[in-house]
Structure formats: C-alpha cells, structure tokens
Amino acid sequence: MQNKKQNNNRIDINLTKQIQQAKTGLKGNVFAFTGSMSIQQFAASIKKSVSEIIAYYFKKGKITNNNTILNEEEIAELCINFDFDFEKKAVVNETNILANLKFVDDPADLVKRPPIVTIMGHVDHGKTTILDFIRKTNVVKGEAGGITQHIGAYQIEYKGSKITFLDTPGHEAFSAMRARGALVTDIIVIVIAADDGFKPQTEEAINHAKSARVPIIVFLNKVDKPGINIEKVMGELAEHNLTPEEWGGNTIVIKGSGLSGLNIDKLLESIITVAEMNELKANDKRLAQGIVIESSVDKGLGVVATLIIKTGTLYKGDFIIAGSAIGNVRLMLNDQLKNITCATLSQPVKITGLNKTPSAGDHFLVSNDKAQIKELARQTEIIKTNENYIQPAINPDPNIKTVLMILKTDVHGSLEAIKTMLQKINIENTSLHILRAGVGAITENDINLAKSAKAIIVGFNIKPIKPVRDIADQLQVKILFYNIIYKLYDDVAAMLLGQLDPQYEEKETGEAKILQIWQHSAVGIIAGCKVTSGEINRNDNARVLRDGVVIHQTKIGSMKHVKEVVNKATTGTEFGITLENFNDLKVNDIIQSYKLVEVKREFK
C-alpha cells in the first residue's frame, strides 16, 4: 500500500506537450528534414518516383524497396544527386523524445544526488583493479584476457556519501560504450599506468571526457612499481591541457595503486569534493527517468536490463519504456543482486519485465500514459528495425571476396561494439556483410539462415547447446566462438584476406549436466553431474553455460565417482566435479569440456 501511495504522488511528465513539430519537405530548392525516413516518404517529399531512387541504389549494388529507411547521410547524398540543397532541422518527436526530455522542477523539490563516476583509460592500466579494491570483490579474474568486456555499474558508500561507478571497457573496439559512459556521467576518472604512460585509448578517453564537459580527475596508477617516470606522465598531461594542480594547473592528479590501495581514499575524497562543488541535484519525487547501461536475455527471467536513474524514483510494478522496449518492472535488483522494491537518484539497478532488449545507451522513462508510451515504442521500433538490419548488397564484381556473417553476443553492449569494429575493416577487394545481429543464444533459425545464405556464425560469449550444434554439424555450418574481442577482429580480417591461420582451435570433448549441488567446507561447491555426450577428462579446460550463455571459463579442479578419484567420465556416467576458482554453479547448468588443438583453418 505504501508503494502504491508513493507511486501516485510522483510527478508525471506530459509527453504530448514536449513533442515539437517542424515544417519539412521541399521548399524552393531546399529539402528540409528532421531525421531518417523511408524511400517512399522521401520520394513523395521531393516529387520523384520511388523507382528512380531504387534504381539509383541498384546501380551502386544495393537492394532497396519503398520501405527501406534512409539515414541522414543517405538523404543528403540523394539531395545532391537530385540537385537539391538540404537542411537538417532539430525537432522533438516520437522517435527522439526520450533523449530530449526537459524537466521543470520546483527548486524546493531538488535534493542532493550521488555522483555518477566513469572510470576510463587504456586497456590493462588498472581501471577494474581500482574498482575491485573499492568494492572488495574480485572482478578482474573473471574477465576474458584480463579485459573488461561490458560496462559494469556499482554503488558504494564512503564516509556517509554514496558514489556510483561505471567501469567502461578499455579496448579500442568499445569506444562507443565509453562514449555512452561519458554521456551519463558527472565526473570522469582517467586512469594512467605510471609505468606505461599515454596510450591511444588514454587520449581517446580524454577526448570523450572533454566532449562530455564534466570534471576530470586523473589517477596515476602503479606508482609503486620500480623504474617509473612520473614527471614524464605529468608532462604528457600538461600537453593535453590537463595541467596537474602541483604544476599550477586545475587538474586533480592522484598518485596511487589499485593493487595495494595506495591513495584510493584520496581518490574517493576528491570525487566527493568535486561532486559537492558541482551541486548535483535532482527531483526524487518524479517518475523515474535515466539511461540503459546494458541488457541481455536470461532464459528464466527474460530480458534483463541494467539502468541508472537520473531523475525520480523507480518502483517495482512501474510501466516503463526503454528505447522501443516496454513493460512493467517485475523484478528489481541492486548492484549486489539483492531484491529491492524501489530505487532512486543515481542508483544502478537490474530489472526484468521488458518485452525486448533495449540497446545500451537508450533512455528510459516511467509514465502513467500507457497509450502514449506504446506509440513511442512503436515509432522507435520502426526506425530501429530498419537501421539495425544490414541488407547484403548485390555484388556484380566476381573479383570481390564477400563474407556473410550472423553475429550473436551475450549482451547488447558487445553487439554494438563488435558491429562498429567490424565495419571499420577496410581490405581492398573484400566485403563483409552481417545478415543478422542479435543478443542471446545461437538458435536453429540462425543455423538455417546461415545454411541458406552460405554464411558463417560468430558467437561472442555465446555457445549453443548440443542439439543446436548437432544441426550445425549436419548442415555443415561453420560456427566460430570468441570471448576476446581483438581475437575476433583479427580472425575476421584474416578471413577476408584468406589467410586465417590461428595457432589453436577448441576441440570439445564432452558435455555434462548438473543434477545436484553440494557445499563442502574444504573444497567449496561440488556439482553432481551426468555426462550427456562425449567424455569429460580431468585435464580438460571447462566452460559453464547457463541458458546457452557462457558465464565462466576455467579448468577442471577435481573429479570423483562415488568416493574414488577418476581422470575421466564417459557418456551416461554420473560423477562429482569441482572447478578451479569458481563456485557459482546451479542445477541445470551445462559444463562443456574442451582441449586446445593446434590446427590450420582455411576460409575460401
């Protein structure tokens, strides 16, 4: 009853009043537009036939139809082709209103909110290790190749003040994710390893921070290592207009160590001080609004989205829109994965209840106007569907080598980053086309599409269950699996060159299903399993799948049959198993064992 009363007292926003119409179309020799539109809409606006535009793209080797959506660059290109000038007009409509909401609050309703802090910097400079020390957990060991692959959101309390942290990936392929982190953040901490200095992503992180126009704090990490040249790094900072305070500038530079915790307290104190100086405030009496940090699909829970609340309070049961996804909040978890019924300013939460996965970076909004929200979702979905589907072009030149791909990832952030990265591959006389890109397990539909299109399937942190793998084997569909993004990039580039020659390839040896879990005081979690295919060997590597998604990779710790230690278990055998440095096992999880075999692979 209390939640319902609080929900009714929260301030809703009038979406209709915020929609601004703009005059578009051809006036004289100038075509005015507000954003993407279909070929049919564009043709009608400039009084040309749809067939003229379709023919224009056909000559360029691209198949289109009257419903094909034109982006801004394509509209400009067509205007030039038809001898028109063009003008992009800013407008708030159904497709962009969530990103352009304006809130008018009574100053008396504004309260202090925790700062949202983004950690940025070059790969392996220690960003996650710093957060690891702050949170007293161990995230680094669970990351593939030691690289953060997703955006993590965590909230801590220090001396009575809350701070929300975003840990952004450091690899260059995730620049889009770092950019979104900058847009949602209040303060940016740039981590630079004292023993490594400035690197490409260091400069890129600084550019993102400056574009976001938010305060910057520099944490000079690993200062306890021998042979470092701190003055050189300080000079590089000055060259990038981040002159340290001790050099007479305005940039806070903290010298410390994420590994030992040296001066982490000074970092937290500096964050609190900068936040207080900037007087961060918002209205917690509103219906919630904020940003989607990440999203994924869980077979048991459905769509799971990580949100950060910028304004208002979010309650369990709220009706929410995020991008083109809508639904009622069914389950809400805090960053410690504990059930909560409400969340407020700057708090990161995981929710379920949306009807589809929103994209990382989408804005979300709670509203009582369900009819308006559903229309917003419908309009947004029309745009997204056309922009996200990549139509393979007709290639009249037989000398152009084309690779067709279906891409599946575990979460949306990775999907977007990998698509962006692959589109940057530019190799003469080659072409890469992504037929389908999505989040979640590789399915039979993916296999069938790959077969009919003669495409390969690339899975990132995704492994199909055995029945799906069997279909792929029967249809001779190639599936490539990755958990480190730069390895994926290198292999795809090599594929286009026809020179893919990896040193090792995984050879799966067996698969077992967890039937029961025991807690042992000495060894931790013991999983009672049954081998469903192949054989599990004591010296194999192992990965754990939950609902078709890889949640961890490690090595087998020990194996027993009844009370006897065994070195292998064959199909149909029940046995007990422990995994090295991993205890988060559940009944029905799948354990796959594999070896790394040196091979040569060729793609034709």
Side-chain angles (χ1 to χ4, degrees):
M1 293 296 291
Q2 186 180 10
N3 284 357
K4 186 174 182 180
K5 182 179 179 180
Q6 290 173 329
N7 180 63
N8 292 336
N9 289 337
R10 286 177 297 162
I11 305 168
D12 202 351
I13 191 167
N14 190 321
L15 296 174
T16 304
K17 286 185 177 180
Q18 298 223 13
I19 294 177
Q20 306 166 2
Q21 300 299 329
K23 292 182 179 180
T24 60
L26 187 62
K27 185 175 182 180
N29 199 48
V30 179
F31 178 69
F33 66 101
T34 60
S36 302
M37 62 176 61
S38 69
I39 284 179
Q40 186 172 22
Q41 291 170 326
F42 179 75
S45 298
I46 64 171
K47 299 180 179 178
K48 298 284 183 181
S49 68
V50 169
S51 59
E52 286 182 83
I53 299 172
I54 291 175
Y56 170 81
Y57 280 113
F58 185 80
K59 290 177 182 177
K60 298 183 69 175
K62 182 177 180 180
I63 293 292
T64 59
N65 57 48
N66 61 339
N67 293 320
T68 299
I69 297 296
L70 302 171
N71 61 32
E72 294 176 19
E73 291 77 11
E74 290 166 333
I75 291 171
E77 178 186 337
L78 286 168
C79 285
I80 293 171
N81 180 70
F82 290 112
D83 295 322
F84 296 132
D85 289 329
F86 55 90
E87 178 187 6
K88 170 70 185 300
K89 288 194 171 185
V91 64
V92 176
N93 56 29
E94 286 87 351
T95 64
N96 64 6
I97 187 172
L98 293 181
N100 292 279
L101 292 173
K102 295 180 180 179
F103 299 92
V104 179
D105 291 305
D106 185 334
D109 291 333
L110 298 178
V111 296
K112 179 181 175 181
R113 67 171 178 83
I116 301 171
V117 181
T118 299
I119 307 291
M120 290 184 172
H122 187 72
V123 60
D124 199 34
H125 274 203
K127 302 177 301 299
T128 307
T129 305
I130 292 168
L131 274 178
D132 189 42
F133 186 90
I134 293 171
R135 291 181 287 119
K136 304 298 182 185
T137 60
N138 196 358
V139 174
V140 175
K141 286 185 179 179
E143 292 169 358
I147 300 172
T148 306
Q149 302 285 338
H150 309 135
I151 289 183
Y154 319 97
Q155 191 170 75
I156 64 107
E157 187 168 328
Y158 180 74
K159 294 185 177 179
S161 296
K162 291 182 179 179
I163 305 172
T164 297
F165 284 99
L166 295 182
D167 177 20
T168 66
H171 191 273
E172 62 180 353
F174 287 88
S175 60
M177 293 175 73
R178 288 200 298 280
R180 283 198 300 276
L183 291 173
V184 75
T185 198
D186 302 306
I187 300 168
I188 290 176
V189 175
I190 294 179
V191 176
I192 304 174
D195 63 336
D196 205 15
F198 266 63
K199 293 294 178 182
Q201 273 100 45
T202 310
E203 189 165 350
E204 185 181 312
I206 290 173
N207 291 336
H208 281 314
K210 289 181 177 179
S211 297
R213 297 181 180 178
V214 296
I216 297 172
I217 297 173
V218 175
F219 189 86
L220 200 54
N221 196 25
K222 306 182 183 181
V223 297
D224 46 2
K225 295 186 72 171
I228 61 172
N229 188 346
I230 292 180
E231 293 301 304
K232 178 177 180 295
V233 182
M234 300 281 269
E236 290 173 326
L237 283 169
E239 290 173 6
H240 287 79
N241 297 317
L242 293 176
T243 306
E245 286 180 330
E246 61 185 88
W247 282 25
N250 298 317
T251 302
I252 299 173
V253 178
I254 299 166
K255 303 166 190 174
S257 168
L259 195 61
S260 69
L262 176 66
N263 285 335
I264 293 293
D265 55 341
K266 289 186 178 180
L267 172 63
L268 298 176
E269 288 166 3
S270 296
I271 289 170
I272 292 169
T273 299
V274 171
E276 289 175 347
M277 291 173 60
N278 283 270
E279 297 183 339
L280 303 174
K281 292 183 178 181
N283 186 354
D284 61 354
K285 296 182 177 65
R286 285 191 170 277
L287 296 174
Q289 180 268 341
I291 304 291
V292 178
I293 300 300
E294 194 49 276
S295 66
S296 59
V297 178
D298 181 282
K299 188 174 181 180
L301 298 174
V303 174
V304 179
T306 301
L307 315 176
I308 286 199
I309 298 164
K310 295 285 286 184
T311 302
T313 301
L314 181 68
Y315 281 93
K316 187 175 178 179
D318 278 345
F319 188 72
I320 185 173
I321 178 172
S324 62
I326 58 174
N328 291 96
V329 178
R330 289 202 304 261
L331 177 69
M332 194 186 313
L333 306 173
N334 65 13
D335 60 315
Q336 301 298 314
L337 300 183
K338 294 180 180 179
N339 276 288
I340 56 176
T341 57
C342 70
T344 189
L345 304 175
S346 302
Q347 186 171 353
V349 291
K350 287 183 181 291
I351 68 160
T352 67
L354 295 173
N355 63 343
K356 64 186 71 173
T357 54
S359 297
D362 277 347
H363 292 256
F364 80 83
L365 173 72
V366 173
S367 176
N368 292 323
D369 190 345
K370 288 192 176 183
Q372 179 74 74
I373 289 297
K374 289 177 180 178
E375 177 60 19
L376 292 183
R378 190 184 73 83
Q379 295 285 348
T380 305
E381 178 63 18
I382 291 172
I383 299 298
K384 279 193 171 186
T385 299
N386 287 278
E387 289 182 347
N388 288 342
Y389 181 78
I390 303 173
Q391 172 71 39
I394 289 179
N395 196 341
D397 188 347
N399 296 318
I400 299 294
K401 180 175 180 178
T402 300
V403 172
L404 301 179
M405 177 189 295
I406 294 170
L407 175 65
K408 299 300 286 287
T409 69
D410 57 338
V411 293
H412 248 296
S414 299
L415 182 71
E416 181 179 331
I418 292 171
K419 283 169 59 180
T420 301
M421 174 196 68
L422 293 179
Q423 288 166 4
K424 292 180 180 178
I425 298 177
N426 184 16
I427 299 173
E428 188 176 1
N429 296 324
T430 67
S431 177
L432 173 68
H433 293 293
I434 302 175
L435 298 178
R436 176 184 292 167
V439 173
I442 295 169
T443 66
E444 186 176 346
N445 287 337
D446 296 324
I447 304 296
N448 291 331
L449 175 59
K451 176 64 177 179
S452 62
K454 297 181 179 179
I456 64 167
I457 297 176
V458 172
F460 185 78
N461 274 344
I462 292 292
K463 295 285 285 187
I465 59 176
K466 189 175 185 301
V468 175
R469 294 203 313 274
D470 289 344
I471 294 171
D473 291 341
Q474 292 168 9
L475 298 179
Q476 296 184 319
V477 170
K478 175 70 73 174
I479 307 178
L480 304 178
F481 305 109
Y482 298 91
N483 63 351
I484 299 178
I485 194 168
Y486 57 74
K487 176 62 175 166
L488 187 160
Y489 177 92
D490 290 345
D491 281 4
V492 172
M495 212 182 301
L496 289 167
L497 288 168
Q499 298 174 348
L500 181 60
D501 189 16
Q503 291 184 334
Y504 295 95
E505 186 175 64
E506 293 180 5
K507 181 180 179 181
E508 293 178 1
T509 57
E511 187 168 292
K513 184 176 183 179
I514 296 179
L515 306 177
Q516 196 170 353
I517 297 292
W518 295 280
Q519 174 73 45
H520 192 283
S521 58
V523 298
I525 293 295
I526 300 172
C529 305
K530 183 175 183 178
V531 182
T532 54
S533 65
E535 63 180 29
I536 309 291
N537 296 285
R538 168 65 182 81
N539 295 323
D540 286 350
N541 296 300
R543 64 173 63 89
V544 181
L545 276 70
R546 188 168 295 159
D547 300 325
V549 175
V550 178
I551 63 169
H552 194 74
Q553 296 200 113
T554 182
K555 294 186 73 69
I556 294 173
S558 63
M559 293 173 55
K560 283 188 177 183
H561 178 64
V562 190
K563 295 184 179 181
E564 184 179 352
V565 174
V566 294
N567 290 321
K568 71 176 182 179
T570 56
T571 302
T573 303
E574 294 188 0
F575 68 107
I577 190 172
T578 64
L579 300 180
E580 291 186 1
N581 302 316
F582 187 67
N583 285 322
D584 183 23
L585 296 171
K586 294 182 179 180
V587 172
N588 293 327
D589 282 353
I590 302 297
I591 296 176
Q592 290 181 347
S593 60
Y594 64 95
K595 299 180 184 296
L596 295 177
V597 181
E598 191 169 357
V599 294
K600 288 187 178 181
R601 296 190 295 180
E602 295 182 359
F603 290 80
K604 299 178 181 179

